[in-house]
Amino acid sequence: MEVVNQTAASTNVSFSSYIHSLSKTPHRLRNRMLATWTPEQELNQMRLRSGANMKRKLMWYDLVALGVGGMLGAGVFVTTGRVARSNSGPSVFISYIIAGISALLSSLCYTEFSVKIPVAGGAFSYLRVTFGEFVGYFAGANILMEYVLSNAAVARSFTEYLCCAFGENDSNSWRIEVDGLVKGYNMLDLPAVALIILITICLCNSTKESSMLNLVMTVFHVLFFVFIIVAAFYNGKTENLVKPAGLAPYGAKGVLDGAAIVYFSYIGYDSVSTMAEEIKNPTKSLPIGIVGSVIIVSALYCLMALALCVMVPYDQISDSASFSLAFQKMGWKWAGNVVGAGASLGIVASLLVAMLGQARYLCVIGRARLVPLWLAKVHPSTGTPLNATIFLGVCQASIALFTELNIVIEMISIGTLLVFYLVANALIYRRYVIASNNPPQHTLLYLFILSCTSLGFSLSWKLEQQWWGLPLCGGSMIILTAFFQYMVPCDFHSTGWSVPLMPWPAATSIFLNVFLMTTLPKLSYQRFGLWACLVTLFYVLYGVHATYQGEAEDTSTGSTNHINFSTQQEKLDIQVL
């Protein structure tokens, strides 16, 4: 009875303490939302919160294989058929070119940050040291949403191609239909859940061994892609590219709408940056791994998209398992089975890399105490973020069990595009304000006007009413960027890899990300708005208070570190965490 009373008293104290913390929310938000860490603190003090260090075993070829394996297969097998049939037609390869250019520019921005701040936090860390805690947290939450949803979608696609590998024409033949559930959530996918569980167990054991497994699967997968491309061009008909309604039956708008959706296929290169704490020579290996993998995958995606449209007319392409069924329509049933098996292998490799990266994002967010600290713990013997890996594996297995592909694909694209947009802004701000010691007002004004003109151009294109807005906004962006480059000095001296011709690559990346976001349907924004409200509410009710509680605990144990918290108006030195 006494133990029960003590527990109840402890609960009351904790609840009272939490209510007291909520009363201080406005004050804490003012101090914490724009709080920044330096790269040195991110590299050293933050990593100590994970306990054990991650083991540095990866080389540059491991990163190229991880980048290629993470992108290659998942998106092209999931989105190509859908986009060719409903959006772009045979010009789906042009959609891939546009999305690839945007991904390449974004990857350049990622690469410079990853070389300067080689930690496992990716976009979360890059934005936190540049724009403050809340922007970094919001980006990290969106990256995690992207990973969990895309992995669930890809796992369900694995089941469809596995059916084809065993000669089943019905993509739902290995799923269990439940009558009592809402349509879209009523087809239980047990093979997808089993695959996620197996990969989670593999990732809990070792990063290097997981990387070697991915390397082997990626080599076989590239050879498999070559087989599809050669077989398709040898047996296909080039007239399928212009029949029955021309190369672009849905017009230029359809091509660009398709580019926004196939951008899903490039999810994965950013996971290479999360391996930074496990690379022997990050300064050399990261640029090769990130940029090299994007270029290789872009070329293969374009050839694969062309191969699909050469095999069958676009209006006969299947939405699910499109490559396997295309071979079957050509009369190569055996090839359809081989494609199903090869696609399944590629999807496994893609899932392996994506799940590798997502756990490291969550681990670093846990180090910042924006989620419970136990998610940041690194297992001392395996050197892997064990708790984060298991937690996210459970989340995506739950989604993969119920949710159909078309429900999550478009929401994935908007979250990804937003984060890449923020990273491009952060690179310009870091170059022209933090590194060059310029006043922030000019750079912030430039970034604001650039985003507004990009939005104006994009809306003019989407609404198809005010065509005069296209040359006006497009010309304004070019003149504005040239004026900014001429007027604002950039005193930036890099000892390692850096993006050339700044600010043009980052400004172009901002424009393309905004443009692609505006092509997404209204429902995508509604779902994204709901998610944004939820993660903001979590930050207000938990994240901002958890960081203060962590500060108090560290202070009481005498382990405070001196951190600089910067705002755009002033710099304050205070004792925190």
Side-chain angles (χ1 to χ4, degrees):
M1 188 68 177
E2 183 177 349
V3 173
V4 173
N5 291 335
Q6 289 177 352
T7 303
S10 176
T11 301
N12 290 333
V13 170
S14 299
F15 183 73
S16 300
S17 176
Y18 178 69
I19 295 298
H20 179 68
S21 296
L22 286 180
S23 67
K24 297 183 177 181
T25 298
H27 169 71
R28 293 180 175 182
L29 284 174
R30 284 194 299 271
N31 287 334
R32 301 294 303 187
M33 287 186 71
L34 296 178
T36 61
W37 289 59
T38 66
E40 291 75 20
Q41 292 157 349
E42 195 79 20
L43 286 167
N44 299 310
Q45 294 163 311
M46 284 288 290
R47 286 201 294 182
L48 295 176
R49 295 179 178 177
S50 289
N53 287 328
M54 299 181 191
K55 297 179 180 180
R56 294 189 179 273
K57 293 184 177 182
L58 302 180
M59 305 296 290
W60 67 267
Y61 51 83
D62 292 307
L63 296 188
V64 173
L66 286 168
V68 172
M71 290 180 281
L72 200 61
V76 74
F77 290 122
V78 174
T79 60
T80 307
R82 298 169 186 269
V83 171
R85 185 180 179 92
S86 305
N87 298 93
S88 304
S91 60
V92 63
F93 75 95
I94 301 177
S95 296
Y96 271 111
I97 292 174
I98 296 170
I101 292 172
S102 181
L104 180 61
L105 291 171
S106 295
S107 72
L108 292 175
C109 300
Y110 257 84
T111 301
E112 179 168 326
F113 270 116
S114 66
V115 170
K116 307 301 179 190
I117 313 172
V119 294
F124 166 74
S125 295
Y126 309 153
L127 292 170
R128 201 164 74 101
V129 301
T130 307
F131 289 141
E133 182 177 273
F134 178 74
V135 176
Y137 161 80
F138 190 77
N142 276 284
I143 283 288
L144 286 176
M145 175 197 71
E146 162 216 314
Y147 272 120
V148 171
L149 292 180
S150 64
N151 290 345
V154 168
R156 288 185 71 93
S157 182
F158 167 81
T159 303
E160 295 177 356
Y161 276 98
L162 200 61
C163 289
C164 291
F166 285 91
E168 298 283 350
N169 292 327
D170 183 7
S171 61
N172 287 322
S173 58
W174 286 15
R175 293 173 178 147
I176 301 172
E177 185 173 0
V178 180
D179 294 332
L181 297 178
V182 179
K183 186 177 181 181
Y185 302 89
N186 62 334
M187 301 298 293
L188 303 187
D189 197 328
L190 296 179
V193 173
L195 175 64
I196 290 173
I197 292 173
L198 287 173
I199 293 178
T200 300
I201 294 171
C202 177
L203 294 177
C204 287
N205 290 323
S206 171
T207 300
K208 180 60 178 179
E209 280 68 23
S210 299
S211 173
M212 291 304 297
L213 176 61
N214 169 75
L215 179 59
V216 173
M217 289 191 295
T218 299
V219 170
F220 278 105
H221 200 209
V222 170
L223 294 175
F224 164 69
F225 265 46
V226 172
F227 163 75
I228 292 178
I229 293 167
V230 172
F233 281 107
Y234 182 76
N235 295 281
K237 299 177 181 179
T238 54
E239 57 261 30
N240 286 335
L241 293 175
V242 293
K243 292 182 179 180
L247 184 64
Y250 301 99
K253 187 175 185 298
V255 174
L256 292 169
D257 289 348
I261 298 174
V262 300
Y263 203 88
F264 166 72
S265 304
Y266 290 93
I267 293 174
Y269 76 79
D270 58 307
S271 64
V272 175
S273 67
T274 67
M275 300 291 107
E277 292 182 25
E278 298 159 88
I279 304 169
K280 287 187 177 180
N281 187 358
T283 303
K284 172 186 174 182
S285 299
L286 279 167
I288 298 174
I290 296 175
V291 178
S293 61
V294 171
I295 293 173
I296 292 170
V297 167
S298 296
L300 288 172
Y301 276 169
C302 292
L303 291 173
M304 285 287 287
L306 273 172
L308 178 62
C309 295
V310 164
M311 283 192 284
V312 292
Y314 80 93
D315 58 342
Q316 297 179 27
I317 295 174
S318 173
D319 285 346
S320 61
S322 52
F323 283 89
S324 292
L325 296 179
F327 272 108
Q328 291 181 17
K329 288 179 180 179
M330 280 200 331
W332 285 29
K333 186 174 181 180
W334 65 270
N337 296 342
V338 171
V339 169
S344 301
L345 180 67
I347 286 171
V348 172
S350 177
L351 269 177
L352 183 72
V353 176
M355 292 173 67
L356 200 67
Q358 69 178 10
R360 281 135 187 88
Y361 265 113
L362 186 58
C363 172
V364 177
I365 295 174
R367 290 175 184 172
R369 299 180 187 267
L370 292 167
V371 295
L373 186 60
W374 66 271
L375 289 169
K377 296 302 179 183
V378 172
H379 196 276
S381 61
T382 64
T384 60
L386 188 67
N387 296 340
T389 302
I390 295 173
F391 174 77
L392 290 173
V394 171
C395 290
Q396 58 204 19
S398 302
I399 296 173
L401 180 63
F402 294 99
T403 313
E404 290 189 1
L405 280 173
N406 57 352
I407 294 176
V408 297
I409 285 179
E410 289 173 346
M411 186 175 176
I412 295 167
S413 292
I414 191 172
T416 308
L417 291 167
L418 176 65
V419 173
F420 292 168
Y421 161 81
L422 290 173
V423 171
N425 278 273
L427 182 62
I428 293 176
Y429 186 86
R430 186 160 188 80
R431 279 277 194 104
Y432 286 88
V433 177
I434 299 175
S436 302
N437 292 316
N438 291 319
Q441 293 85 352
H442 301 121
T443 302
L444 290 173
L445 179 62
Y446 164 68
L447 292 174
F448 175 74
I449 298 175
L450 177 64
S451 297
C452 290
T453 51
S454 299
L455 183 61
F457 182 96
S458 305
L459 291 177
S460 297
W461 174 273
K462 184 177 179 64
L463 298 177
E464 298 181 352
Q465 294 177 353
Q466 306 296 335
W467 288 104
W468 54 266
L470 297 178
L472 177 63
C473 294
S476 298
M477 284 186 288
I478 295 172
I479 294 171
L480 176 68
T481 302
F483 182 76
F484 174 78
Q485 183 183 27
Y486 177 76
M487 294 298 297
V488 180
C490 182
D491 187 19
F492 178 76
H493 304 286
S494 175
T495 56
W497 193 93
S498 59
V499 179
L501 304 175
M502 282 289 286
W504 294 97
T508 307
S509 178
I510 290 171
F511 164 72
L512 286 174
N513 285 312
V514 170
F515 186 86
L516 293 175
M517 275 193 284
T518 59
T519 64
L520 295 172
K522 181 180 178 181
L523 184 60
S524 297
Y525 286 92
Q526 292 173 343
R527 291 171 177 161
F528 175 76
L530 178 62
W531 172 253
C533 290
L534 288 175
V535 297
T536 302
L537 186 64
F538 182 84
Y539 176 78
V540 171
L541 297 180
Y542 176 84
V544 70
H545 304 292
T547 55
Y548 269 80
Q549 183 179 355
E551 173 190 345
E553 291 173 356
D554 289 347
T555 302
S556 65
T557 58
S559 59
T560 56
N561 294 313
H562 194 66
I563 310 293
N564 289 330
F565 282 85
S566 305
T567 66
Q568 296 161 5
Q569 295 81 18
E570 58 185 350
K571 292 187 176 180
L572 304 175
D573 288 339
I574 61 177
Q575 295 291 326
V576 299
L577 298 180

